[in-house]
Amino acid sequence: MDVNEVDDDEFGFSRNYFLAKEFKGSTKKSNHKLSDIDLVEEQELRTAAANIEPKHEKEVEELVRSYRTLYQRWVFKLRCGFNLLMYGFGSKKALIEDFASTSLTEHSVFVINGYLQSINIKQVLIALAEVLWDQLKAKRKNYSGNSSRGGQQPFNSRSIDDLLEFLDEPQVEEKESFICIIIHNIDGPGLRDSETQQILARLASCSSIRVVSSIDHVNTPLLWDKKMVHTQFNWCWYHVPTFAPYKVEGMFFPLILANGNTGQSAKTAALVLQSLTPNAQSVFRVLAEYQLSHPDEEGMPVDNLYATCRERFLASSQVTLNSHLTEFKDHELVKTRRHSDGQDCLYIPLTAEALEKLLLEIN
Amino acid sequence: MTASSASPPPSAATDTSANDNIQPFYLLHKASSSKNSSRKSAAARRIDLTPSKPSNNSQFDSHKAFHSVWSKIDSSIKGVLRDVNNNVFNEIHTWVRQSFLEITSSGLPSFAEATRSLPILNHATSKQLFTGLVLIKNMEFVDDLLTFEELGVCLKSHGCHVANLSSRDFSTKNGVGGCLRSLLRQFLMVALDAADISILASWYREHGNHDSPVVIIIDDMERCSRSVLSDFILMLSEWVVKIPIILIMGITTLDAPRIVLPSHVLQQLCPSKFILASPAERMNAVVEATLVRWCSGFSIGHKVAVFLRNYFLNHDGTLTSFIRALKIACVQHFSMEPLSSNLGLLAEEDSNDEGEGPDFSSGMVAQIESNLACGLTELKRSQKCWGTVVMCLYEAGKYNKVHLLDLLCEALDPNIYNAVASGTHTRSGKGFDITSSSNQSVAQQYWRKGGPISQVIQKVRDLPAASLSQLLKSWENLTMDILEIHDKVKELHPMIKMEDGMSLKQDFTGLSKRHTSRTAAYIKESKTGNEKAANLITSMISKFMKPIECIPFHEVVCFKDVEKLQLALNGDPRRRIQVDLLEFHKFLQCKCCNRTGNVPIPSMPDTSIMYTLAQEHGDLISLHDWYQCFKSVVTNPSIKVKHKGKQQSPLRKKRKETNENENKSESSIQARFCKAVTEMQITGLIRMPTKRRPDCVQRVAFGL
C-alpha cells in the first residue's frame, strides 16, 4: 500500500528473477532424464491418481465451512451491482456452488465450467437468454399477462450482439431480479481467448446479470484491460483459499509422468505404422535405417529419400512419396528440419534404441 | 458438533451429479420459492444453520441505504463531469453545425439521386470528411468512454443523428461490414445481415431526417484496426454528399491520425481539434463534489483517503478506478457497519430538506435514538464547517496548483488536528482570533513541511494584493453559511480592498518606476494584509477543520478500514497464491504441520512441498531431480523428525503405513507428483516441458 512497500516488492521480484536465471548458469545442469525414473505404466498411474489419499481433509472442510459467514456479505455485494471474483489456492468449485445453492435461492443460477477445453460462448448466451425469457414470462403472467414479445425471433438465430442487448434490457418491474452466473475458472482453457473474455465482460456488465467467478492462474488479470476491469467486470475480489484438490479442474490435464516416455511413443508409433500400407511401412523403414546409420546427421534429405524409394520401387513419383510423408507427419512419426546447407531434412523424433525396437516390431 | 454433523460439507453436497462437471454450462437452479427439488431442500436446510446470519430486514435497510447514498454520489459525479465537459461540448456542437452548413451549402442531391446505390462523385473537394479530433489528456481511454457517450447524448439533444462506435466495431474479423451493421443498428434500429451504406442513405432521405447532420463518434480511434478504419473513412468520404456525415474521433496524441491512417485516407479528412479536460481537473471536481461537500453523508477516514490518493497516482491515474474504489469503500461500509443504514436516512433527510436547519424531522427521530440523532446533527454541522474550510484552502491553493485530493488527505488527518488543537488551546485559549499570530506559528510546526496546507498558507502570505482580494471574495462566497467565519472574512476584506485600491493606483501612476516608488511602508502594509489573511485561514483550520475521525459517532458515516478496501479492490493473485502455498498452515491450522523453518515435511499438502522444493531450482526445474526430492520428502520423514519432538508419533505412524504399502507406494508417489504438477500448472506457477526440453519444467513466477 505504501509507495516504498510497492517499490520493494517490485525490486524483490526482479531480483528473484535474475537470481533464478543466474542460478541456472552456476549450478551444474542435471544430466538425469525423466526416463531414469522407474516409471509405472500409465494405467496404473491413472488408477493411483484416482485413489490419492487426501491430506488435511478435516481442516479443508472446516476452512470451507468458515467462509459461510461471508455469504451474506457476498449477496449484499451482488445486490449492490458488483460481481465477485474468488481467488486463492485450492478448488473453489464446491465453495461457490454451496454459496449459490444456500444464499442465492431467490435468483436463477447458471453455471459455466470454464475449466473445460472448449466452450461455445454463443450457446451459453442463448441458454442464458432463454432462462431470462422464462423468468420474465413467469413474472408477466403473475402481474398482468401482456406479453409484448409475442412474435420475437427465436434466440438461437440471433447474433451475439442481439443476445447481449436482450440481457442488458432494463427491467422496470423488479430491479432486484437478476440471473447469477457462476463461472468456474474464468481463466480456464475454454474461455481464455481474448474474444471470449470481451464477450464475458460485456455479459458481466448487463443489467440483469451478476457473475460469481473463480480464478486460479496467477497471471489472470493480464487477460483484462482497464475498460473490462473498471467498467464491465466490476469485480469485488475475495481471497478464499480452500486447499481443496483440483479434482475436476485438473481432469483434462495430462499426467506429466504418463507421456514423454519413449517406450510409450514407440508403442504408439508401431500402432500407427501397422495400420498403414506395406509400401508406406517400407518408406518409413528406409528413413529409419538411414537415421540409424547416420546418427550424427540432422536427417535424411528429401531428394535422397525419393531416390532410394524409386530404386526400391516403393514410390513411383514425388506425389506418392509426398502422400506417405503427409501421413507420417500427421501422426508425428516424421518431422522436417532445415539442414545446415539449407535443404529440408526428414527425421524421426525417437531415440536410436526406441527406433530399433520399433523396426523389430513392424517386421 | 451437532451443526457440523447436520450440515454436510459443501463438497459432498455439490458433487452429487458428476455429469454437471463435464457440461460446458447448465442451470443450477431457477429463481423460485418452491422447494420441491432435493437439492434445494438441502440448501434451504443449510440456510437455517448458517451461523450468525443477520436478519433479512436489517440487510434490506442497509441495501436501500447504500442505493440512496450511492445514487446521490453518482449523480453528483455525473453532474460535475458534465459541467467540466460543458464548454468543449458546446464548442463541438457549434463546429458540427458549421460543418453541416458547409456540406449542405453546395446543395443537396435529389431524392432519386441520393438513394441510388452508387455514390456521387462531383469533384475532389466534395469528398472531404469533416473530422473532429478530440484530444483526451490521458493515455487511458477508460475515463473518456463516458465522456464520449455523454457527447453523443448532448449532440442528440441538439437534434443531430448520433452513433457511437468503438474499436470493437472495427475488428479485422468483421471488416467494414461490422461498423456498418453497428451504424444501421443505431440509426435504423434494425439488425441486417447484408449491411450496405445505401440503406443508410435512403433512411436519411426518407424519414424527414435530412435537416440534421449525421455524427459518428469513434471513442478510441487508436485501437481500431487500421485497414478497417481506413476503408470505413474512404467509404464515408464517398458518400458524404448524400449523407452529411461528420466524424468525431478520440485520440491520445495529435500524431495519432498520421500514425494510424495512410496518407491517401488522411487527405479525405478535414480535421478540427478539441481538447478535453485533464484527469487532474476532473479529479478535483469529483473530489469536491463527493468528499468535501456534504453531498451524501458518506465520508472516508484519513488512511482510506491516503490509500485512494496513492491508488490514483500509482495505479493507473484514471478517474474511473478512483470512482470504483470509492464505490467499493461505500459498499464495504454498508455491509460492515450495522448503524450505517442510518446514513441512508440521513441522506434522504438531506435531500428532503436542503435548508440550513440541522434538526431532523420527527420521522427520523422516531427511528433512531435521540442521542444518536443529536450526535449526527452535530456531525453534520461540523462536517459542513470542515468542508467549507477545505474549500477555502483549495481556493487559495489554486494559485499554487495544489490538488484537492492532496489537501484532503492532510485535512482528514486526525493526528495533525489533535496536535494543532492542543497546541493552540494551551497557548492562546479558545478564542477565534485572526490577529494573533501565535496560533499560526504553533500550528505551522505540525503541518508537514512542504505539505499542501503549509504550501497554501505560504501562498496566501505571498499573494499579490489583487489576487488576495479576489481570494477573499471567493472566501466570502464560500463561507456564506457559516456566519462566524463569514463575518471575519467580511471584516478583513475591506482592509485588503483598500490596500488593493492603493496598490492599483500606485501601479498606474508609477508604472515606469514601479520598483523604486514602492515605499517600505507600503510593502509592510500590504504584507500585513497577507499576514492577516494567513492568520485567518490558520485559525479557521484550527477551529473549524475538525477531521471526521475526531467527531463522535463518525463511525456511522465514515469508512476507515483501508485493508478491506484494498483487498476487495484489487486482488493480488500472483503474490497471494504463492503465499497460500507457503503459509498454508495459517489457513488450515492443522496440528501436524506446525513447522518452524522452510523444511518440507511429508504431512504438508503435496503442492506446497513441490512449491517449496521448486524454490531451490533456477528457472528450469529438472523433472527427475524434482521427483527424487519429492519422493525423499514424502517417504523419508525420519530425518526431519528431530526438528519437532512432540510430533513424532503421527509421523511414525505415517511411516509405518508407508512401509506397509511399499509395493503400492511407488505408483502412488508418482501419481501424487503428477497431481501436484497439474495443480501448479493450473495456478500458472510452472510451464510444461517443451519438445526442446522434454525433461524440464519452467518456473514462471519468481518470488512473491
Side-chain angles (χ1 to χ4, degrees):
Chain A
M1 182 207 342
D2 206 9
V3 188
N4 293 330
E5 215 171 279
V6 172
D7 285 350
D8 280 351
D9 281 356
E10 291 300 313
F11 177 68
F13 174 72
S14 49
R15 192 186 50 202
N16 280 331
Y17 175 78
F18 288 114
L19 276 179
K21 284 274 176 201
E22 257 174 44
F23 196 56
K24 169 191 141 200
S26 65
T27 53
K28 213 179 87 196
K29 211 180 147 193
S30 164
N31 290 323
H32 295 292
K33 291 233 156 41
L34 193 54
S35 46
D36 297 343
I37 308 172
D38 185 18
L39 293 174
V40 296
E41 284 287 311
E42 188 175 342
Q43 198 49 47
E44 198 186 336
L45 192 65
R46 290 201 177 278
T47 327
N51 298 321
I52 292 175
E53 211 176 292
K55 288 179 182 174
H56 299 117
E57 217 170 356
K58 225 183 191 167
E59 284 88 355
V60 167
E61 201 178 291
E62 206 48 55
L63 180 66
V64 173
R65 205 196 305 280
S66 73
Y67 294 130
R68 285 192 181 163
T69 51
L70 298 173
Y71 285 2
Q72 285 307 315
R73 278 192 194 160
W74 294 353
V75 176
F76 185 71
K77 299 281 155 62
L78 286 174
R79 291 174 66 193
C80 291
F82 285 93
N83 297 313
L84 308 181
L85 188 64
M86 312 291 181
Y87 71 108
F89 185 78
S91 170
K92 291 160 284 293
K93 188 173 189 300
L95 171 71
I96 296 177
E97 283 178 8
D98 182 61
F99 163 63
S101 45
T102 55
S103 305
L104 293 172
T105 41
E106 291 167 35
H107 306 280
S108 295
V109 177
F110 191 86
V111 181
I112 304 174
N113 289 328
Y115 50 80
L116 295 175
Q117 295 298 305
S118 73
I119 290 163
N120 185 336
I121 195 74
K122 192 170 176 189
Q123 293 300 327
V124 172
L125 293 181
I126 291 169
L128 272 172
E130 268 157 11
V131 172
L132 181 66
W133 176 232
D134 283 350
Q135 199 166 306
L136 289 178
K137 223 165 42 186
K139 286 233 172 74
R140 290 232 170 84
K141 219 183 278 169
N142 284 350
Y143 288 117
S144 54
N146 57 333
S147 169
S148 57
R149 288 173 158 263
Q152 62 153 353
Q153 211 181 337
F155 288 118
N156 41 13
S157 65
R158 294 208 202 175
S159 70
I160 286 183
D161 287 322
D162 282 330
L163 290 166
L164 285 169
E165 203 169 273
F166 172 68
L167 292 170
D168 199 21
E169 268 170 26
Q171 274 138 50
V172 199
E173 302 118 49
E174 231 184 305
K175 262 191 188 165
E176 284 287 294
S177 118
F178 56 79
I179 299 177
C180 181
I181 309 178
I182 293 176
I183 308 178
H184 294 302
N185 286 83
I186 196 168
D187 55 351
L191 303 173
R192 204 171 278 175
D193 62 302
S194 77
E195 205 180 331
T196 311
Q197 289 291 331
Q198 288 285 357
I199 294 171
L200 287 176
R202 285 168 70 194
L203 181 64
S205 66
C206 287
S207 62
S208 31
I209 299 289
R210 296 289 184 281
V211 177
V212 181
S213 176
S214 67
I215 61 166
D216 285 306
H217 199 285
V218 288
N219 290 329
T220 306
L222 300 180
L223 292 174
W224 306 317
D225 64 21
K226 294 217 163 90
K227 181 182 171 188
M228 291 156 91
V229 169
H230 294 322
T231 65
Q232 295 178 311
F233 278 127
N234 201 12
W235 295 126
C236 197
W237 292 71
Y238 278 98
H239 180 229
V240 283
T242 63
F243 294 92
Y246 288 102
K247 256 188 206 145
V248 196
E249 292 90 336
M251 208 159 44
F252 297 98
F253 283 83
L255 296 176
I256 193 159
L257 298 180
N259 50 13
N261 191 335
T262 48
Q264 205 66 31
S265 43
K267 207 184 270 172
T268 45
L271 279 175
V272 172
L273 280 173
Q274 271 155 12
S275 69
L276 297 179
T277 59
N279 255 9
Q281 288 182 12
S282 306
V283 173
F284 185 81
R285 194 173 299 120
V286 172
L287 197 56
E289 277 160 3
Y290 183 90
Q291 189 164 322
L292 287 175
S293 54
H294 302 82
D296 297 332
E297 273 185 30
E298 280 162 81
M300 189 175 190
V302 183
D303 297 341
N304 205 338
L305 177 68
Y306 177 56
T308 323
C309 289
R310 261 187 82 102
E311 277 169 23
R312 301 190 189 176
F313 301 106
L314 295 173
S316 56
S317 68
Q318 189 81 42
V319 180
T320 29
L321 179 65
N322 279 349
S323 73
H324 290 314
L325 289 178
T326 315
E327 189 99 32
F328 295 156
K329 282 178 196 164
D330 286 349
H331 291 102
E332 299 202 329
L333 291 175
V334 164
K335 297 206 160 172
T336 30
R337 63 180 156 208
R338 187 68 47 98
H339 196 270
S340 49
D341 60 11
Q343 204 175 12
D344 276 340
C345 283
L346 301 165
Y347 74 100
I348 302 165
L350 289 174
T351 56
E353 356 169 345
L355 204 52
E356 272 166 16
K357 225 166 104 189
L358 179 64
L359 285 180
L360 280 177
E361 242 170 272
I362 56 171
N363 278 337
Chain B
M1 223 43 232
T2 46
S4 67
S5 60
S7 121
S11 52
T14 42
D15 275 355
T16 45
S17 49
N19 199 23
D20 285 346
N21 290 338
I22 49 166
Q23 295 283 332
F25 54 87
Y26 63 94
L27 189 66
L28 185 68
H29 63 240
K30 276 196 174 185
S32 68
S33 46
S34 71
K35 288 162 188 164
N36 43 6
S37 80
S38 63
R39 184 181 284 177
K40 220 166 278 163
S41 60
R45 200 173 61 233
R46 256 178 274 142
I47 284 186
D48 302 333
L49 292 167
T50 317
S52 69
K53 192 184 121 191
S55 75
N56 253 349
N57 201 18
S58 82
Q59 213 221 342
F60 177 68
D61 283 340
S62 60
H63 180 241
K64 220 168 100 183
F66 166 76
H67 272 292
S68 97
V69 167
W70 183 255
S71 65
K72 273 183 158 221
I73 296 179
D74 194 43
S75 66
S76 65
I77 289 174
K78 286 207 173 109
V80 291
L81 289 182
R82 204 170 297 134
D83 290 345
V84 167
N85 292 326
N86 213 1
N87 283 338
V88 67
F89 280 7
N90 285 338
E91 212 179 307
I92 292 175
H93 175 238
T94 319
W95 165 80
V96 166
R97 282 287 155 193
Q98 277 168 359
S99 313
F100 179 61
L101 283 180
E102 212 159 311
I103 298 172
T104 49
S105 63
S106 55
L108 285 167
S110 67
F111 182 82
E113 208 178 12
T115 49
R116 209 182 303 148
S117 61
L118 292 169
I120 311 171
L121 295 177
N122 287 344
H123 43 85
T125 51
S126 69
K127 283 175 67 180
Q128 289 258 315
L129 192 62
F130 285 92
T131 308
L133 299 173
V134 181
L135 185 69
I136 64 171
K137 284 235 187 130
N138 196 349
M139 284 311 284
E140 282 298 335
F141 270 105
V142 64
D143 275 355
D144 294 290
L145 296 174
L146 184 70
T147 313
F148 283 101
E149 226 168 86
E150 292 262 337
L151 175 63
V153 173
C154 167
L155 291 177
K156 250 180 218 165
S157 74
H158 286 107
C160 305
H161 304 293
V162 184
N164 283 75
L165 299 181
S166 75
S167 59
R168 209 185 56 220
D169 299 304
F170 290 86
S171 65
T172 358
K173 193 182 153 204
N174 293 329
V176 182
C179 336
L180 269 178
R181 264 195 293 279
S182 184
L183 280 186
L184 293 179
R185 265 176 92 89
Q186 293 186 49
F187 286 128
L188 280 74
M189 316 282 178
V190 288
L192 298 169
D193 287 334
D196 192 303
I197 192 157
S198 59
I199 303 173
L200 193 65
S202 42
W203 162 81
Y204 185 71
R205 289 291 146 201
E206 272 165 14
H207 296 90
N209 295 325
H210 53 272
D211 300 330
S212 329
V214 174
V215 182
I216 297 174
I217 302 175
I218 305 170
D219 51 20
D220 46 356
M221 176 259 205
E222 277 139 287
R223 287 172 65 184
C224 297
S225 151
R226 292 171 183 209
S227 59
V228 178
L229 183 62
S230 305
D231 290 349
F232 183 69
I233 290 175
L234 288 178
M235 181 185 71
L236 291 187
S237 67
E238 279 170 3
W239 285 82
V240 72
V241 182
K242 289 182 177 182
I243 321 168
I245 293 173
I246 292 159
L247 199 59
I248 294 177
M249 299 194 285
I251 52 173
T252 51
T253 55
L254 281 175
D255 288 340
R258 251 192 305 131
I259 297 167
V260 175
L261 299 170
S263 60
H264 70 281
V265 178
L266 275 180
Q267 279 169 8
Q268 309 298 334
L269 302 181
C270 174
S272 307
K273 191 179 74 178
F274 304 94
I275 299 175
L276 290 179
S278 73
E281 265 172 80
R282 289 187 207 176
M283 189 63 162
N284 287 336
V286 167
V287 171
E288 180 187 332
T290 53
L291 296 173
V292 179
R293 294 190 188 279
W294 179 264
C295 89
S296 63
F298 173 70
S299 63
I300 55 173
H302 171 243
K303 280 185 184 153
V304 176
V306 172
F307 169 74
L308 286 180
R309 189 190 62 171
N310 289 345
Y311 185 68
F312 175 69
L313 294 179
N314 299 340
H315 190 68
D316 60 3
T318 62
L319 194 60
T320 319
S321 66
F322 176 81
I323 294 171
R324 204 177 93 81
L326 195 63
K327 189 172 180 183
I328 290 192
C330 193
V331 80
Q332 292 279 18
H333 178 67
F334 282 99
S335 77
M336 291 181 342
E337 176 55 50
L339 283 174
S340 61
S341 51
N342 293 320
L343 179 53
L345 292 172
L346 201 62
E348 246 153 50
E349 201 70 33
D350 224 23
S351 61
N352 295 340
D353 164 40
E354 282 292 325
E356 307 295 302
D359 40 61
F360 300 106
S361 70
S362 56
M364 169 126 183
V365 175
Q367 287 188 49
I368 51 176
E369 288 173 43
S370 60
N371 63 340
L372 177 59
C374 291
L376 289 179
T377 313
E378 177 54 33
L379 183 86
K380 191 173 162 186
R381 200 193 60 78
S382 166
Q383 272 296 289
K384 214 168 190 173
C385 294
W386 174 87
T388 307
V389 181
V390 173
M391 280 317 291
C392 287
L393 277 171
Y394 176 51
E395 208 52 54
K398 278 181 183 166
Y399 294 99
N400 211 16
K401 295 210 167 100
V402 170
H403 291 310
L404 187 53
L405 193 54
D406 299 336
L407 211 55
L408 181 86
C409 287
E410 213 173 4
L412 279 174
D413 193 341
N415 295 336
I416 294 180
Y417 176 80
N418 287 338
V420 171
S422 64
T424 47
H425 275 241
T426 49
R427 292 214 186 180
S428 61
K430 276 192 163 184
F432 172 47
D433 184 9
I434 61 165
T435 47
S436 112
S437 60
S438 65
N439 261 357
Q440 176 246 342
S441 63
V442 173
Q444 199 81 73
Q445 69 198 34
Y446 296 106
W447 289 311
R448 204 152 45 80
K449 244 205 156 115
I453 292 185
S454 70
Q455 255 183 49
V456 167
I457 295 170
Q458 193 53 45
K459 190 74 203 174
V460 171
R461 215 167 278 140
D462 297 341
L463 270 186
S467 317
L468 188 64
S469 154
Q470 249 176 17
L471 177 66
L472 283 176
K473 205 168 169 203
S474 65
W475 283 2
E476 234 181 282
N477 291 334
L478 285 169
T479 55
M480 209 65 95
D481 292 343
I482 302 160
L483 284 177
E484 213 177 334
I485 308 179
H486 190 64
D487 290 346
K488 297 284 178 195
V489 177
K490 255 169 106 181
E491 218 170 85
L492 190 61
H493 200 180
M495 290 193 246
I496 308 281
K497 246 188 203 154
M498 206 174 61
E499 286 162 13
D500 186 23
M502 270 170 66
S503 84
L504 276 180
K505 218 157 82 193
Q506 203 109 12
D507 280 352
F508 278 120
T509 49
L511 255 182
S512 55
K513 38 181 182 172
R514 194 149 128 184
H515 298 292
T516 49
S517 71
R518 271 192 190 167
T519 59
Y522 165 66
I523 292 171
K524 198 178 163 199
E525 223 170 279
S526 81
K527 275 292 161 217
T528 51
N530 285 18
E531 207 58 48
K532 274 179 194 158
N535 283 346
L536 172 65
I537 189 77
T538 318
S539 47
M540 266 157 71
I541 293 169
S542 50
K543 185 140 198 293
F544 293 103
M545 204 177 74
K546 199 171 181 180
I548 187 138
E549 283 169 88
C550 301
I551 307 169
F553 295 114
H554 72 269
E555 293 88 351
V556 178
V557 301
C558 176
F559 176 73
K560 295 190 291 187
D561 195 337
V562 68
E563 224 155 277
K564 278 250 158 54
L565 171 64
Q566 195 185 6
L567 283 176
L569 189 58
N570 223 345
D572 184 0
R574 184 167 64 87
R575 182 197 174 91
R576 288 205 172 258
I577 290 175
Q578 293 184 74
V579 173
D580 288 349
L581 284 172
L582 289 176
E583 297 176 359
F584 68 95
H585 180 254
K586 276 190 189 161
F587 297 96
L588 291 178
Q589 298 183 333
C590 58
K591 293 193 181 81
C592 46
C593 316
N594 201 356
R595 61 196 188 127
T596 43
N598 234 353
V599 193
I601 52 172
S603 64
M604 282 165 58
D606 290 343
T607 314
S608 287
I609 297 177
M610 296 275 283
Y611 178 76
T612 316
L613 292 173
Q615 303 290 315
E616 289 158 23
H617 288 79
D619 64 343
L620 287 178
I621 307 171
S622 156
L623 275 171
H624 176 271
D625 297 356
W626 203 14
Y627 174 71
Q628 295 302 350
C629 292
F630 176 73
K631 192 176 163 187
S632 71
V633 170
V634 296
T635 53
N636 219 5
S638 54
I639 47 162
K640 267 96 200 179
V641 168
K642 56 176 170 266
H643 284 280
K644 32 202 89 279
K646 58 177 179 180
Q647 252 97 51
Q648 275 186 4
S649 58
L651 290 178
R652 272 203 185 140
K653 213 169 108 194
K654 187 136 193 149
R655 189 168 44 154
K656 213 174 140 198
E657 279 170 12
T658 341
N659 290 341
E660 277 169 11
N661 307 326
E662 192 127 22
N663 48 349
K664 255 193 167 182
S665 69
E666 185 66 30
S667 64
S668 107
I669 291 170
Q670 286 186 15
R672 281 163 67 184
F673 178 80
C674 290
K675 277 285 164 197
V677 170
T678 304
E679 297 201 336
M680 286 185 75
Q681 196 188 353
I682 292 174
T683 50
L685 294 170
I686 52 165
R687 205 173 286 155
M688 285 288 105
T690 53
K691 287 267 152 64
R692 239 179 79 221
R693 280 191 290 251
D695 297 310
C696 291
V697 293
Q698 205 176 344
R699 262 175 79 187
V700 182
F702 296 95
L704 302 176

